[in-house]
Amino acid sequence: MTIAPVHISPHAPAQAPGAVLDIRKLVVEFPTRRGVLTAIRGIDLTIGRGEILGVVGESGAGKSLTGAAVIGLLESSGRVAEGEIHVCGRRIDNLPRREMQKLRGRTIGAIFQDPLTSLNPLLTVGDQLTETMRVHLPLSRAEAADRAIKLLQEVGIPSPELRITQYPHQFSGGMRQRVVIALALCAEPELVIADEPTTALDVSIQAQITALLKRVCRDRGTAMMLITHDMGVIAETADRVAVMYAGRIVEIGPVASIIRAPRHPYTKGLIGSIPSLTDRRERLVQIDGAMPRLNAMPSGCAFHPRCRYANEQCRSDRPPLLPAGTSEAACWHLDREEVSHVA
């Protein structure tokens, strides 16, 4: 079997027909002694080849849990109760553990927030890269080592021939995250789940990592789910964005449309809380209240206790995703003029 070289031609198509990731009506539950807690409530998502989908929301919205469900790394008490997850046309949420382990790394790569939790401190960077490649690809040790050097060079690590012999503690935080990106890509996965990949980094390194992620997806045709709480990272990196609240998607669409003209009050609050270099406001927008607990979920629209526009319909009926220009938003007030302005 011939393995394609690490360098991908820039003329490779950025988009292919069909979704790499297709999530249908996903429900994730956690049974407890006091009852079943539903953390993800029937979400639908698709990501195409070469596309970056940003998933954004406050802590507790269900972003990371969605990614964990895709990778098959839910906590032992968690379960996919309803719905389906398809990767490259294959359903994966019902696979046996051993089959799922084969997919992780080969078909699905992962980039986590803290690179130190993803790297073994007792092994050199080269050993970790070559071991992963040899598990998933028919390569000799020498071939894997050569590809590891090329990967480190591709993700912007200088002197890769030397660095491949070093241990994780000998790298800076930004360089460790580049190693983790190389590790996620080394078996040429079709899909990468990037969970807060820039949160632990300073602003200048964040910009470098986001540029790297965009280039990797463009050149390799890799689909990526970028999970973050930072709308600024989404604006710089993603093609589309899904805004999550209380385990549901409340708005989804092209990044440019949602950043410029958000339609859901929650999305407006998230964007309004970002400091601006041009808008000299004395106070940033503040969303009053907090994310509801899983055992105290409001009826109707889950955001209604924090929304200034809530009425009886919002309190009693949960809104579906409705057309909102080039996007979709789960709000009963999309046709009201007052909601077109940030609170």
Side-chain angles (χ1 to χ4, degrees):
M1 177 179 178
T2 302
I3 302 301
V6 170
H7 178 70
I8 304 298
S9 168
H11 302 293
Q15 190 77 26
V20 174
L21 175 65
D22 184 7
I23 299 176
R24 307 172 187 173
K25 307 298 181 185
L26 180 66
V27 175
V28 175
E29 295 179 345
F30 289 86
T32 70
R33 287 178 293 180
R34 297 186 178 181
V36 176
L37 301 179
T38 304
I40 302 296
R41 298 168 174 265
I43 68 170
D44 295 288
L45 281 178
T46 60
I47 309 178
R49 192 168 302 279
E51 181 184 31
I52 300 178
L53 173 71
V55 182
V56 69
E58 295 172 280
S59 296
K63 312 180 302 295
S64 295
L65 198 58
T66 302
V70 172
I71 306 172
L73 292 179
L74 291 172
E75 295 181 18
S76 57
S77 59
R79 66 189 184 196
V80 174
E82 296 179 28
E84 300 179 0
I85 301 172
H86 296 253
V87 174
C88 298
R90 180 187 184 188
R91 185 175 178 183
I92 66 170
D93 58 279
N94 58 355
L95 291 178
R97 179 178 298 181
R98 189 174 297 275
E99 287 297 313
M100 195 64 201
Q101 287 175 343
K102 293 178 182 179
L103 287 181
R104 284 197 291 268
R106 181 64 184 98
T107 304
I108 307 173
I111 304 169
F112 296 109
Q113 177 176 343
D114 184 359
L116 283 178
T117 64
S118 302
L119 298 172
N120 188 331
L122 302 179
L123 296 177
T124 66
V125 163
D127 285 342
Q128 296 180 62
L129 286 168
T130 56
E131 178 184 354
T132 301
M133 282 188 279
R134 296 192 69 200
V135 166
H136 295 289
L137 302 173
L139 296 172
S140 68
R141 187 174 296 278
E143 290 171 332
D146 183 60
R147 284 172 58 81
I149 290 172
K150 292 178 181 178
L151 269 170
L152 292 182
Q153 185 175 26
E154 185 178 353
V155 298
I157 294 181
S159 305
E161 298 86 354
L162 170 64
R163 301 293 261 170
I164 201 172
T165 64
Q166 296 181 334
Y167 292 85
H169 74 271
Q170 295 176 282
F171 291 75
S172 66
M175 287 296 161
R176 277 196 294 266
Q177 193 63 297
R178 291 172 186 266
V179 172
V180 171
I181 293 173
L183 192 61
L185 298 173
C186 67
E188 300 183 348
E190 300 288 340
L191 170 69
V192 171
I193 307 297
D195 192 351
E196 302 278 9
T198 63
T199 299
L201 307 175
D202 62 54
V203 175
S204 61
I205 302 300
Q206 276 190 18
Q208 295 174 22
I209 296 299
T210 55
L212 173 60
L213 294 176
K214 289 173 66 176
R215 179 171 60 82
V216 163
C217 290
R218 182 185 68 243
D219 293 351
R220 287 171 167 259
T222 305
M224 181 173 292
M225 178 187 289
L226 176 61
I227 299 166
T228 181
H229 67 278
D230 191 334
M231 268 292 190
V233 171
I234 293 293
E236 290 294 326
T237 313
D239 301 299
R240 290 187 301 127
V241 58
V243 182
M244 289 192 69
Y245 186 83
R248 291 192 174 102
I249 294 173
V250 297
E251 188 162 2
I252 186 168
V255 165
S257 298
I258 289 181
I259 293 294
R260 292 171 185 163
R263 302 301 300 274
H264 196 282
Y266 179 61
T267 311
K268 296 176 189 294
L270 291 179
I271 295 173
S273 65
I274 302 173
S276 171
L277 294 176
T278 56
D279 186 1
R280 299 289 183 176
R281 289 177 292 174
E282 292 186 3
R283 294 177 63 88
L284 296 175
V285 171
Q286 176 179 333
I287 305 176
D288 295 330
M291 187 76 65
R293 300 190 307 274
L294 295 182
N295 61 354
M297 199 62 63
S299 59
C301 174
F303 186 64
H304 85 254
R306 308 173 69 185
C307 181
R308 61 181 295 186
Y309 307 110
N311 59 18
E312 286 304 316
Q313 184 182 22
C314 301
R315 297 182 183 95
S316 60
D317 302 328
R318 178 172 65 87
L321 283 170
L322 302 170
T326 58
S327 307
E328 293 178 292
C331 181
W332 294 122
H333 301 286
L334 293 179
D335 58 343
R336 296 197 180 185
E337 181 65 25
E338 72 265 22
V339 186
S340 66
H341 302 287
V342 176

